[in-house]
Amino acid sequence: MAPKALNIGMIGYGFMGRAHTNGYKRVNDFFDLPLRPVLKAACARSAEKIQAFADQWGYESIETDWRKLVERKDIDAVDICVPNNLHKEIALACAANGKMILCEKPLAMNVAEGEEMCQAVEKAKVVNTVWYNYRRVPAVTMAKQLIDEGRLGKIFHYRANFLQDWTISEDLPQGGNALWRLDVEAAGSGVTGDLLAHCIDTAVWLNGKVSDVTAVTETFVKERMHNLTGKKEKVGIDDACAFLCHFQNGSLGLFESTRYARGHKALYTFEINGEHGSLKWDLHDLHRLEFFDYKDEGKLRGWRSIHVTDGEHPYMNKWWVPGLQIGYEHSFVHHVRDFLEGAAKGEPCGPTFRDALETQKICDAVLASGKDRSWKTI
Amino acid sequence: MAPKALNIGMIGYGFMGRAHTNGYKRVNDFFDLPLRPVLKAACARSAEKIQAFADQWGYESIETDWRKLVERKDIDAVDICVPNNLHKEIALACAANGKMILCEKPLAMNVAEGEEMCQAVEKAKVVNTVWYNYRRVPAVTMAKQLIDEGRLGKIFHYRANFLQDWTISEDLPQGGNALWRLDVEAAGSGVTGDLLAHCIDTAVWLNGKVSDVTAVTETFVKERMHNLTGKKEKVGIDDACAFLCHFQNGSLGLFESTRYARGHKALYTFEINGEHGSLKWDLHDLHRLEFFDYKDEGKLRGWRSIHVTDGEHPYMNKWWVPGLQIGYEHSFVHHVRDFLEGAAKGEPCGPTFRDALETQKICDAVLASGKDRSWKTI
Amino acid sequence: MAPKALNIGMIGYGFMGRAHTNGYKRVNDFFDLPLRPVLKAACARSAEKIQAFADQWGYESIETDWRKLVERKDIDAVDICVPNNLHKEIALACAANGKMILCEKPLAMNVAEGEEMCQAVEKAKVVNTVWYNYRRVPAVTMAKQLIDEGRLGKIFHYRANFLQDWTISEDLPQGGNALWRLDVEAAGSGVTGDLLAHCIDTAVWLNGKVSDVTAVTETFVKERMHNLTGKKEKVGIDDACAFLCHFQNGSLGLFESTRYARGHKALYTFEINGEHGSLKWDLHDLHRLEFFDYKDEGKLRGWRSIHVTDGEHPYMNKWWVPGLQIGYEHSFVHHVRDFLEGAAKGEPCGPTFRDALETQKICDAVLASGKDRSWKTI
Amino acid sequence: MAPKALNIGMIGYGFMGRAHTNGYKRVNDFFDLPLRPVLKAACARSAEKIQAFADQWGYESIETDWRKLVERKDIDAVDICVPNNLHKEIALACAANGKMILCEKPLAMNVAEGEEMCQAVEKAKVVNTVWYNYRRVPAVTMAKQLIDEGRLGKIFHYRANFLQDWTISEDLPQGGNALWRLDVEAAGSGVTGDLLAHCIDTAVWLNGKVSDVTAVTETFVKERMHNLTGKKEKVGIDDACAFLCHFQNGSLGLFESTRYARGHKALYTFEINGEHGSLKWDLHDLHRLEFFDYKDEGKLRGWRSIHVTDGEHPYMNKWWVPGLQIGYEHSFVHHVRDFLEGAAKGEPCGPTFRDALETQKICDAVLASGKDRSWKTI
């Protein structure tokens, strides 16, 4: 039976707008699903820019006011792909209009906003999800399976980092377009919301809730030219952030992110150590999962490099053949796949707004701890 | 300006049919091109199967006789995605009908067939290409650039292998559908045409022509159940093949492929050693290029692991951001991109049939040498 | 000219007793030096055990009372290889008797003891060193050279960890012989003094002093059988410890050690990120130094894996030929080499007691922070 | 009980003279053995040079005529560490004088010489061994154990290479001292006897005898200044050599060695693929063994990186603790250990002369095949 159409309204057209759209366009080629996304409308303030985007990717129409898009009867689901400071308002309007919502991460500027958003979608009973896409890299999904199967036993340690090096130059400006991530007004925070939030979402998914944190934050470059004001302005974001924490299961956590780690482009790694085994993953080689199994025969124990490309690995029976890897963008295709499966049944697709609020709480606590140098209970 | 339509007729619907179709569907999302492939028709003997494929991928119509497809006026280019023993006949018909041809590798069953195909397309002046897709993995394309820039200097060694392990079980049958690759009638040869041909195409592209070869071939499992006859039949393909060679530039070559290398799914690797530097690549981590530069300061010399995901790397300015890798399938998208650029101007897109014939010559010589245990001049 | 004898008195005969002795016995085979260590006497409470050790390794005589050894006129230098709670007393006696001292790390049980030891050796003007041996793994020494040459520029980040997994079993007892490291009375602390101290010594050497720290410590197994009392006793050591810090040069530090990281035997790694480049090292492959140089041509940038086995690498012109690696024990041979060079001239060999006191200060602050959950200024 | 003295007479003082001597000096510190090597005499034509060597390493006396050394009553075992063209004559003299022999590899200049040497030692019944030291790198010894335990099952493939890059410069002369390896008169061959011989010894040990070979040899630099004649002379050695072979067990072999592989210092690697599993090893990280076990649960299969440093790994219970690696030189210590164990009982220590003759046969066949381009039966 042919899948039913699900009309998508996309707000935004940047890096994430492309990544999500690619997910919508590809998912039915590879997965048998009850729904098929239709690229109904794309929206941005600049008519010229959004028209070019719509032409390139095949959106049927454009809007220049997101309120209009949200109110359109022919839109089933809205994708919020705009800077963080706009998430809340749009989400509330979507909920009010009964639209499903796919919101870019982090959920909000802070916990207060996030809580309001959660209440809105829960009251409106609209299907909602937040694009923490790394959960659906097959090797990461497989880590979740192995942990849930009890293969690691009691957990002692979780560590993750997300290291980049693209803001080292003092000449890089802040604000506007691609550089809104450096502008605290638009982004809310620096690496904490942008990078650590990914690490935290995965961590809570794999290892459960966090009880308390202590953090350090740093802004290495104190002033940068601002693209919107045309003047040198104080930099309000955190360039680097690290924190220690306890998880509720008694394990210790260690997290770090920075945009000043020369030589690393997008080095998101995590490792989890348990009584019976350990797991490691690295975004730079995202199709591999490293697994140490203490149950292996003593003299033969070693870290196994699992090339997660077999038919029995998560999502992989729909792609190519063993040994042939997929890439970063496929995590979005998988997210869309799971969202559509859920949406057809009116079921949530994790991480929901409520799940993402948990990450927001930790981010807020981390930033607060970075300011006053004390432990914070979550 | 909107790209012009290029109507594609696809013959076949297997693994390669999907990989090529994905290339056609995605290329214009990411690349600005003069042409846009339109999925006009798909063809196979089974109406049921090809209809399902057409529905899944969005082909507008189906055919069950490839001759009809080839003669359709609304088809501009034919994609030959069928077993090797059908390439020649279809290609000749395409040429006779003035169709552009995209032919799956290897070109033909042998040099005689290949030569006939080359003459046909050259006489008919139809644009043609053969899907040796690995040339367009960005790290491989970059290897070509570095060699052409003279960074390796005089070349001493080239070595490549393509190791798999999927036919070790004696219970695996041969023939029919997905297993035609084990049937010498359909495939012409075993690993030589299937795997070594890829290694050879890349090698000749990177390091120039081969002058002579000596080879060993082996069939480890001598008899297998045949899906078409229902009986145990002699296995006619080579399960493993290795050869030594000289290149015309004076360097030595060493090649090996097998389907009996336990632990390797699709380990295609090559390494090239020159006076000033060396390069290594591995399909299992296809986004990395290893480079050793003798011009580096002495005490600091080491193999550099280049994560080929930056905007200045081949094809990569159209994808995501540094550090975020693409996968196997993107090599086909890039091939389509280059094919469309050429087709718009009536220019060839390498490897052409003539280029692929060079690989066929080496394959034939390798198989002959494996039989009579003597060196063969190419 | 033949080197002059330097008579060594060794107190202890365990793992470190063997490693140091091996250093004394081998150094003159490979290095041309003004002094030659002579294994004059070995000392332990058990005459039987120390005699066996002396026979095995070739010590000329034994003592069962360290005070006697320290007072012997024929001893030039005393090597303190006993549990941490005995370092101070022996060191003070050595200083009083004018003996050179080579003291196992960590320097002392705490800063107060360490300060007393520093004052004693400085007053007595005896040559002294502490066996933080990893400074003299050639790849680590080379890291120091590259940093001192300014190749990394301004430093942003330093991270290190030392991960083991040998105490996960609850059945492992504490105290006595090889297990004194689990007994807080003998060891003073757990992983902080045993493992983190190594990380800290290297860090301060490479990146300068630390200004403040915040830490978390954990004891996963709360009670263990005690070998000395024969009863289950509370475990007083830290099983795991992690801390965040600022260095005086403005960079951020992140340190972790544990004996509960399943799959890691002795994974000591560090990484340092600077404006112009980065360095990484890993004890599990100790002969490699990873170096990222931002000054490399853009498209060719990548981490270089330097196999530190060439004649131009630190210490390596005395060993084998390029590509042939040395091991863990060689770090002690190099330490002895540098100690002898210094001793012949009456010059110190770092890390001196005073240098090691800096590490002790950080360890003490880390442990204190782990207790009261606040930042500590060093 | 104290071990009995075994008096060693060393002929030669180069790289191998040092490596072997280090083995003699260290073995009893770590292993409990019935014999203890005593460095009785060292011999070379230059009294000055051999005296310096004896002083450095502690040999009791020197000789300048190897015939005298071989005849000395106080010598039990002779170590032949001289260029290959002298092996036979010295070995025959040793046998005639009833001396045990430890001969540097390769055994001889050719099979005829080797056969004569075998007959001499067998007739004289003197204990003999050849220094193919890599058998006793713990990871390699462990590979042998795993294969003998049947963990790989039926073997399909064996491949090995030994890649270096130190003779690329045309300005490097040949002949005399350290460069005798480039002089065909002294060395007999180039990479075949120097490097491939190591690969072959390991291969035959692990995978059994070879039945036939076909090879290619190349001399990239045709003329070099000769240190002994002072003139440019034709280069008689092979700079590179590769060969294909069948083993008697039906598996295929692929071997390559060169001194023109830019970026590789001493990259000796081997891999063996069997029905149930595969093994890989690499001299550049010699303490690791990679193992793929098909018996692992399907979705969790991957290459395991075994850090061969545990007490249950071969030889390792005598060294340090898990995670702390030993190096290249320890393979010689282990060889001495096994030699002494055998010698005390009058038992052989492999590889014996007879074992090494098998490698010589393959080397000779490879060189012959390289000349006349035909397959050679062993």
Short mmCIF file of all heavy atoms in Angstrom, two decimals, chain D residues 210-246:
data_model
loop_
_atom_site.label_atom_id
_atom_site.label_comp_id
_atom_site.label_asym_id
_atom_site.label_seq_id
_atom_site.Cartn_x
_atom_site.Cartn_y
_atom_site.Cartn_z
N VAL D 210 56.28 -24.46 1.75
CA VAL D 210 55.87 -23.85 0.48
C VAL D 210 56.16 -24.84 -0.64
O VAL D 210 57.19 -25.52 -0.62
CB VAL D 210 56.66 -22.53 0.28
CG1 VAL D 210 56.56 -22.03 -1.15
CG2 VAL D 210 56.18 -21.48 1.26
N SER D 211 55.26 -24.95 -1.61
CA SER D 211 55.51 -25.90 -2.71
C SER D 211 56.10 -25.26 -3.95
O SER D 211 56.95 -25.85 -4.60
CB SER D 211 54.24 -26.65 -3.13
OG SER D 211 53.10 -26.21 -2.49
N ASP D 212 55.63 -24.07 -4.31
CA ASP D 212 56.20 -23.44 -5.49
C ASP D 212 56.05 -21.93 -5.43
O ASP D 212 55.22 -21.43 -4.65
CB ASP D 212 55.58 -23.99 -6.78
CG ASP D 212 54.07 -23.84 -6.83
OD1 ASP D 212 53.49 -23.20 -5.92
OD2 ASP D 212 53.46 -24.36 -7.77
N VAL D 213 56.85 -21.25 -6.21
CA VAL D 213 56.88 -19.79 -6.18
C VAL D 213 57.07 -19.21 -7.57
O VAL D 213 57.67 -19.84 -8.44
CB VAL D 213 58.07 -19.26 -5.31
CG1 VAL D 213 57.98 -19.79 -3.89
CG2 VAL D 213 59.40 -19.60 -5.93
N THR D 214 56.55 -17.98 -7.73
CA THR D 214 56.92 -17.19 -8.91
C THR D 214 57.20 -15.78 -8.40
O THR D 214 56.47 -15.28 -7.54
CB THR D 214 55.85 -17.18 -10.01
OG1 THR D 214 56.41 -16.57 -11.19
CG2 THR D 214 54.60 -16.41 -9.63
N ALA D 215 58.24 -15.16 -8.92
CA ALA D 215 58.72 -13.92 -8.30
C ALA D 215 59.06 -12.84 -9.31
O ALA D 215 59.24 -13.11 -10.50
CB ALA D 215 59.97 -14.22 -7.48
N VAL D 216 59.12 -11.63 -8.79
CA VAL D 216 59.68 -10.52 -9.55
C VAL D 216 60.71 -9.84 -8.66
O VAL D 216 60.48 -9.67 -7.47
CB VAL D 216 58.58 -9.53 -10.00
CG1 VAL D 216 57.88 -8.88 -8.84
CG2 VAL D 216 59.15 -8.45 -10.92
N THR D 217 61.86 -9.53 -9.24
CA THR D 217 62.88 -8.80 -8.49
C THR D 217 63.24 -7.55 -9.28
O THR D 217 63.10 -7.51 -10.50
CB THR D 217 64.16 -9.63 -8.29
OG1 THR D 217 64.59 -10.11 -9.56
CG2 THR D 217 63.89 -10.81 -7.36
N GLU D 218 63.69 -6.53 -8.58
CA GLU D 218 64.00 -5.28 -9.25
C GLU D 218 65.18 -4.59 -8.55
O GLU D 218 65.29 -4.66 -7.31
CB GLU D 218 62.77 -4.35 -9.20
CG GLU D 218 62.93 -3.05 -9.93
CD GLU D 218 63.15 -3.23 -11.43
OE1 GLU D 218 62.19 -3.57 -12.15
OE2 GLU D 218 64.31 -3.03 -11.86
N THR D 219 66.04 -3.99 -9.35
CA THR D 219 67.10 -3.15 -8.80
C THR D 219 66.87 -1.75 -9.35
O THR D 219 67.11 -1.50 -10.54
CB THR D 219 68.49 -3.70 -9.20
OG1 THR D 219 68.58 -5.05 -8.76
CG2 THR D 219 69.59 -2.87 -8.56
N PHE D 220 66.36 -0.87 -8.50
CA PHE D 220 65.98 0.46 -8.99
C PHE D 220 67.20 1.33 -9.29
O PHE D 220 67.22 2.08 -10.25
CB PHE D 220 65.07 1.17 -7.98
CG PHE D 220 63.70 0.58 -7.89
CD1 PHE D 220 63.27 -0.08 -6.74
CD2 PHE D 220 62.82 0.64 -8.96
CE1 PHE D 220 62.00 -0.63 -6.65
CE2 PHE D 220 61.54 0.10 -8.89
CZ PHE D 220 61.13 -0.54 -7.73
N VAL D 221 68.20 1.25 -8.41
CA VAL D 221 69.42 2.02 -8.64
C VAL D 221 70.47 1.04 -9.14
O VAL D 221 70.88 0.13 -8.41
CB VAL D 221 69.86 2.73 -7.35
CG1 VAL D 221 71.20 3.44 -7.57
CG2 VAL D 221 68.79 3.74 -6.91
N LYS D 222 70.89 1.24 -10.37
CA LYS D 222 71.70 0.21 -11.05
C LYS D 222 73.18 0.28 -10.69
O LYS D 222 73.89 -0.71 -10.81
CB LYS D 222 71.56 0.38 -12.57
CG LYS D 222 70.14 0.52 -13.09
CD LYS D 222 69.31 -0.74 -12.89
CE LYS D 222 67.96 -0.60 -13.62
NZ LYS D 222 67.00 -1.61 -13.17
N GLU D 223 73.65 1.47 -10.33
CA GLU D 223 75.07 1.62 -9.99
C GLU D 223 75.21 2.46 -8.73
O GLU D 223 74.48 3.44 -8.55
CB GLU D 223 75.81 2.37 -11.11
CG GLU D 223 75.94 1.58 -12.38
CD GLU D 223 76.97 2.25 -13.31
OE1 GLU D 223 77.04 3.51 -13.28
OE2 GLU D 223 77.67 1.53 -14.03
N ARG D 224 76.13 2.09 -7.89
CA ARG D 224 76.43 2.88 -6.68
C ARG D 224 77.94 2.89 -6.45
O ARG D 224 78.63 1.91 -6.77
CB ARG D 224 75.77 2.23 -5.45
CG ARG D 224 74.25 2.33 -5.41
CD ARG D 224 73.73 1.78 -4.09
NE ARG D 224 72.28 1.75 -4.05
CZ ARG D 224 71.49 2.78 -3.72
NH1 ARG D 224 72.04 3.95 -3.43
NH2 ARG D 224 70.19 2.66 -3.71
N MET D 225 78.42 3.96 -5.87
CA MET D 225 79.81 4.02 -5.42
C MET D 225 80.05 2.83 -4.50
O MET D 225 79.21 2.51 -3.66
CB MET D 225 80.03 5.34 -4.67
CG MET D 225 81.43 5.54 -4.13
SD MET D 225 82.67 5.59 -5.42
CE MET D 225 82.03 6.93 -6.47
N HIS D 226 81.21 2.17 -4.67
CA HIS D 226 81.53 1.03 -3.81
C HIS D 226 82.60 1.45 -2.80
O HIS D 226 83.67 1.90 -3.18
CB HIS D 226 82.01 -0.16 -4.66
CG HIS D 226 81.88 -1.47 -3.94
ND1 HIS D 226 82.56 -1.75 -2.78
CD2 HIS D 226 81.11 -2.57 -4.21
CE1 HIS D 226 82.23 -2.97 -2.38
NE2 HIS D 226 81.34 -3.49 -3.22
N ASN D 227 82.31 1.29 -1.54
CA ASN D 227 83.24 1.74 -0.49
C ASN D 227 84.56 0.98 -0.51
O ASN D 227 85.58 1.51 -0.04
CB ASN D 227 82.59 1.56 0.89
CG ASN D 227 81.64 2.69 1.21
OD1 ASN D 227 81.86 3.82 0.79
ND2 ASN D 227 80.58 2.38 1.95
N LEU D 228 84.56 -0.24 -1.01
CA LEU D 228 85.80 -1.01 -0.98
C LEU D 228 86.68 -0.74 -2.20
O LEU D 228 87.90 -0.73 -2.10
CB LEU D 228 85.49 -2.51 -0.88
CG LEU D 228 84.68 -2.91 0.36
CD1 LEU D 228 84.48 -4.42 0.41
CD2 LEU D 228 85.38 -2.44 1.64
N THR D 229 86.05 -0.46 -3.35
CA THR D 229 86.85 -0.21 -4.55
C THR D 229 87.01 1.29 -4.81
O THR D 229 87.86 1.70 -5.59
CB THR D 229 86.18 -0.83 -5.81
OG1 THR D 229 84.96 -0.11 -6.07
CG2 THR D 229 85.85 -2.29 -5.57
N GLY D 230 86.16 2.09 -4.17
CA GLY D 230 86.23 3.53 -4.42
C GLY D 230 85.66 3.92 -5.77
O GLY D 230 85.80 5.07 -6.21
N LYS D 231 85.06 2.99 -6.48
CA LYS D 231 84.52 3.29 -7.81
C LYS D 231 83.03 3.00 -7.87
O LYS D 231 82.50 2.22 -7.10
CB LYS D 231 85.23 2.42 -8.87
CG LYS D 231 86.64 2.89 -9.14
CD LYS D 231 87.26 2.15 -10.32
CE LYS D 231 87.62 0.73 -9.92
NZ LYS D 231 88.47 0.03 -10.89
N LYS D 232 82.37 3.63 -8.85
CA LYS D 232 80.98 3.29 -9.12
C LYS D 232 80.94 1.87 -9.65
O LYS D 232 81.68 1.54 -10.60
CB LYS D 232 80.39 4.24 -10.17
CG LYS D 232 79.59 5.36 -9.55
CD LYS D 232 78.41 5.83 -10.39
CE LYS D 232 77.51 6.69 -9.50
NZ LYS D 232 76.41 7.32 -10.20
N GLU D 233 80.14 1.03 -9.04
CA GLU D 233 80.07 -0.37 -9.48
C GLU D 233 78.61 -0.73 -9.70
O GLU D 233 77.71 -0.18 -9.06
CB GLU D 233 80.64 -1.30 -8.40
CG GLU D 233 82.03 -0.94 -7.91
CD GLU D 233 83.12 -1.65 -8.71
OE1 GLU D 233 82.77 -2.32 -9.71
OE2 GLU D 233 84.29 -1.52 -8.33
N LYS D 234 78.39 -1.69 -10.55
CA LYS D 234 77.07 -2.24 -10.78
C LYS D 234 76.52 -2.75 -9.44
O LYS D 234 77.25 -3.35 -8.65
CB LYS D 234 77.18 -3.39 -11.77
CG LYS D 234 75.86 -4.01 -12.19
CD LYS D 234 76.05 -4.80 -13.51
CE LYS D 234 74.74 -5.45 -13.95
NZ LYS D 234 74.34 -6.60 -13.11
N VAL D 235 75.26 -2.50 -9.19
CA VAL D 235 74.62 -3.02 -7.98
C VAL D 235 74.11 -4.43 -8.29
O VAL D 235 73.36 -4.62 -9.25
CB VAL D 235 73.46 -2.11 -7.54
CG1 VAL D 235 72.69 -2.76 -6.40
CG2 VAL D 235 74.00 -0.75 -7.12
N GLY D 236 74.53 -5.40 -7.51
CA GLY D 236 74.17 -6.78 -7.80
C GLY D 236 73.00 -7.31 -7.00
O GLY D 236 72.52 -8.41 -7.26
N ILE D 237 72.55 -6.53 -6.02
CA ILE D 237 71.47 -7.02 -5.17
C ILE D 237 70.10 -6.64 -5.72
O ILE D 237 69.98 -5.78 -6.59
CB ILE D 237 71.57 -6.43 -3.74
CG1 ILE D 237 71.52 -4.90 -3.80
CG2 ILE D 237 72.82 -6.93 -3.03
CD1 ILE D 237 71.08 -4.26 -2.52
N ASP D 238 69.09 -7.28 -5.17
CA ASP D 238 67.70 -6.93 -5.48
C ASP D 238 67.25 -5.85 -4.49
O ASP D 238 67.32 -6.03 -3.28
CB ASP D 238 66.80 -8.15 -5.40
CG ASP D 238 67.06 -9.02 -4.19
OD1 ASP D 238 68.22 -9.43 -3.96
OD2 ASP D 238 66.10 -9.27 -3.42
N ASP D 239 66.79 -4.72 -5.01
CA ASP D 239 66.26 -3.63 -4.18
C ASP D 239 64.85 -3.94 -3.70
O ASP D 239 64.40 -3.43 -2.67
CB ASP D 239 66.18 -2.34 -5.01
CG ASP D 239 67.53 -1.68 -5.21
OD1 ASP D 239 68.47 -1.99 -4.45
OD2 ASP D 239 67.63 -0.84 -6.12
N ALA D 240 64.13 -4.72 -4.51
CA ALA D 240 62.75 -5.07 -4.19
C ALA D 240 62.50 -6.46 -4.72
O ALA D 240 63.11 -6.88 -5.71
CB ALA D 240 61.78 -4.08 -4.83
N CYS D 241 61.62 -7.17 -4.07
CA CYS D 241 61.30 -8.53 -4.49
C CYS D 241 59.90 -8.86 -4.02
O CYS D 241 59.53 -8.55 -2.88
CB CYS D 241 62.31 -9.51 -3.89
SG CYS D 241 61.95 -11.23 -4.28
N ALA D 242 59.12 -9.49 -4.88
CA ALA D 242 57.79 -9.94 -4.48
C ALA D 242 57.56 -11.31 -5.08
O ALA D 242 58.10 -11.62 -6.15
CB ALA D 242 56.72 -8.97 -4.99
N PHE D 243 56.81 -12.13 -4.38
CA PHE D 243 56.51 -13.44 -4.97
C PHE D 243 55.14 -13.96 -4.55
O PHE D 243 54.62 -13.58 -3.50
CB PHE D 243 57.61 -14.46 -4.70
CG PHE D 243 57.74 -14.94 -3.28
CD1 PHE D 243 57.07 -16.09 -2.84
CD2 PHE D 243 58.58 -14.28 -2.39
CE1 PHE D 243 57.22 -16.56 -1.54
CE2 PHE D 243 58.73 -14.75 -1.07
CZ PHE D 243 58.05 -15.88 -0.65
N LEU D 244 54.60 -14.78 -5.41
CA LEU D 244 53.36 -15.52 -5.16
C LEU D 244 53.75 -16.96 -4.89
O LEU D 244 54.73 -17.43 -5.45
CB LEU D 244 52.45 -15.48 -6.39
CG LEU D 244 52.18 -14.11 -7.01
CD1 LEU D 244 51.38 -14.27 -8.31
CD2 LEU D 244 51.41 -13.25 -6.03
N CYS D 245 53.00 -17.67 -4.08
CA CYS D 245 53.33 -19.07 -3.84
C CYS D 245 52.11 -19.87 -3.40
O CYS D 245 51.08 -19.31 -3.03
CB CYS D 245 54.43 -19.19 -2.78
SG CYS D 245 53.92 -18.76 -1.11
N HIS D 246 52.27 -21.18 -3.50
CA HIS D 246 51.34 -22.11 -2.86
C HIS D 246 52.03 -22.72 -1.66
O HIS D 246 53.21 -23.07 -1.74
CB HIS D 246 50.97 -23.24 -3.82
CG HIS D 246 50.19 -22.81 -5.02
ND1 HIS D 246 50.80 -22.45 -6.20
CD2 HIS D 246 48.85 -22.68 -5.22
CE1 HIS D 246 49.86 -22.12 -7.09
NE2 HIS D 246 48.67 -22.24 -6.53
#
